[in-house]
Amino acid sequence: GDSICHGDYILCEQRDSAADGEIVVAQINGTQTTLKRYQLNENGTIALLSSNPDAESMEFPQEEVKILGVYLGLIRLINHEESPEPTL
């Protein structure tokens, strides 16, 4: 959905907060880490929205989610065995 492919390296700014719509590295319950789009809901929960149509979005109470960083961009290696086929 956001053109982040398997084998890409993501660049993040280490932060503990995010604005609605930013892509974040979030830790859930101190165990699971995910890369999702951040949304603070009116009821106080945090939605972690997936841009990948094959993955589900998630919703958690605020105290269960820790923002570790905010996505800035990516590095994609060309001619690397895990790099996706180029689309021109």
Side-chain angles (χ1 to χ4, degrees), residues 11-16 22 68-72:
L11 304 172
C12 294
E13 176 184 0
Q14 186 176 357
R15 289 193 350 215
D16 60 3
E22 288 186 302
L68 301 176
V70 176
Y71 171 84
L72 296 175

Side-chain angles (χ1 to χ4, degrees), residues 22-50:
E22 288 186 302
I23 298 173
V24 299
V25 177
Q27 187 176 65
I28 299 131
N29 292 320
T31 58
Q32 178 185 1
T33 304
T34 187
L35 183 69
K36 299 270 191 277
R37 198 167 289 280
Y38 175 89
Q39 177 181 297
L40 178 60
N41 296 325
E42 289 182 16
N43 65 2
T45 61
I46 293 175
L48 298 173
L49 308 172
S50 178

Side-chain angles (χ1 to χ4, degrees), residues 61-76:
Q62 283 187 33
E63 61 271 9
E64 293 182 13
V65 177
K66 179 179 179 182
I67 304 301
L68 301 176
V70 176
Y71 171 84
L72 296 175
L74 63 84
I75 297 172
R76 180 169 296 149

Side-chain angles (χ1 to χ4, degrees), residues 70-85:
V70 176
Y71 171 84
L72 296 175
L74 63 84
I75 297 172
R76 180 169 296 149
L77 301 178
I78 304 300
N79 297 325
H80 186 265
E81 61 190 45
E82 292 187 17
S83 294
E85 290 295 318

